[in-house]
């Protein structure tokens, strides 16, 4: 590319520089968009991970409540029949 620049006129070099500036602006914009998208995806992943943790523990909690309720019913039944 160095030899190409030496053969170019000043106007061509200025035009090429403007094209490069525009490409840089587009790439920076794309980088910002992707960064925001990545941040949003990471937040979704964090939220979903928390939901998974809650959903894994909820069945155990429900089963524990049911077990306590069954024990309570058994005690009530025993008191009624005493």
């Amino acid at each position: 590319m160095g030899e190409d620049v030496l053969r170019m006129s000043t106007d061509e070099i200025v035009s090429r520089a403007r094209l490069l500036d525009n490409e840089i602006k587009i790439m920076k914009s794309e980088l910002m968009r992707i960064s925001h998208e990545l941040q949003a995806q990471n937040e979704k992943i964090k939220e979903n991970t928390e939901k998974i943790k809650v959903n894994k523990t909820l069945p155990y909690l429900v089963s524990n409540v049911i077990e306590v309720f069954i024990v309570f019913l058994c005690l009530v039944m025993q008191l009624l029949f005493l």
Side-chain angles (χ1 to χ4, degrees), residues 29-71:
S29 174
E30 185 72 10
L31 179 62
M32 290 298 291
R33 184 188 67 76
I34 291 172
S35 294
H36 289 298
E37 188 176 322
L38 177 62
Q39 183 180 4
Q41 290 296 326
N42 283 336
E43 288 173 11
K44 284 183 182 178
I45 289 171
K46 185 177 177 182
E47 289 172 8
N48 288 337
T49 302
E50 289 299 317
K51 287 179 184 177
I52 288 171
K53 285 180 184 176
V54 167
N55 287 334
K56 281 184 176 179
T57 58
L58 189 59
Y60 297 116
L61 293 175
V62 170
S63 68
N64 287 343
V65 168
I66 291 172
E67 289 173 8
V68 168
F69 185 67
I70 290 172
V71 168

Side-chain angles (χ1 to χ4, degrees), residues 72-82:
F72 174 75
L73 284 177
C74 288
L75 289 173
V76 168
M77 295 295 283
Q78 284 178 355
L79 288 174
L80 288 175
F81 291 111
L82 285 177

